[in-house]
Amino acid sequence: VFTQIDVDKFTIHPAIMGTLQVFKLTPGKNAGEVEIEEMNDTLEHILAKALGIDAVKLIPCGGGDPIAAAREQWNDGSNTLAVAPGKICVYQRNNVTNDVLYKEGMELLVVPSAELSRGRGGPRCMSMPFWREDL
């Protein structure tokens, strides 16, 4: 329901805005151990802290309109694929969200999606590998 699209920008479905309970998992001091840190904060603050930057910008699917957000999230409006900072693949049918992203300065690679989006899973889901090699 949210995707990083630039160094400090994310698409987001408005339903997850507000205070969240998040658990940060990191390797423990000994092999096989896991350190768990509970964070209760807004997504903006959690993301900024994780990225080591002052602030992030959340761009809502549907441009802040609750009806457009619900309709366009059904068509994966906030499930985009960043191919470079500020350059993202989006589904064509999400007109409101795409217009907002364009006005935010994003370069959009628009994918025709009349039937494609019916299968559920947006550009990011369909291209996210389970395992990545270190480059």
Side-chain angles (χ1 to χ4, degrees):
V1 290
F2 77 99
T3 304
Q4 186 172 15
I5 58 174
D6 205 338
V7 173
D8 61 348
K9 292 182 181 72
F10 294 79
T11 59
I12 183 171
H13 181 45
I16 69 163
M17 295 179 88
T19 302
L20 301 174
Q21 180 183 30
V22 175
F23 295 92
K24 178 181 176 182
L25 307 176
T26 55
K29 295 177 183 171
N30 299 311
E33 291 183 350
V34 177
E35 296 284 332
I36 302 172
E37 177 187 353
E38 180 180 350
M39 297 182 282
N40 292 286
D41 206 338
T42 63
L43 184 59
E44 296 100 306
H45 292 142
I46 291 169
L47 291 171
K49 181 179 177 183
L51 294 170
I53 58 178
D54 291 335
V56 298
K57 181 164 190 174
L58 302 181
I59 302 170
C61 176
D65 178 332
I67 294 172
R71 180 184 65 245
E72 294 198 0
Q73 182 57 30
W74 181 253
N75 295 314
D76 294 301
S78 64
N79 189 350
T80 59
L81 172 65
V83 296
K87 185 174 185 177
I88 56 176
C89 293
V90 297
Y91 279 156
Q92 182 180 33
R93 70 185 314 156
N94 295 317
N95 298 322
V96 175
T97 302
N98 292 347
D99 187 51
V100 170
L101 292 168
Y102 176 75
K103 289 176 181 171
E104 286 289 337
M106 300 295 105
E107 181 180 347
L108 304 182
L109 304 170
V110 181
V111 178
S113 60
E115 295 299 319
L116 185 59
S117 61
R118 288 186 190 202
R120 310 281 40 103
R124 182 176 62 100
C125 286
M126 292 186 297
S127 62
M128 184 176 287
F130 181 72
W131 183 266
R132 293 180 187 235
E133 295 292 327
D134 289 335
L135 299 176

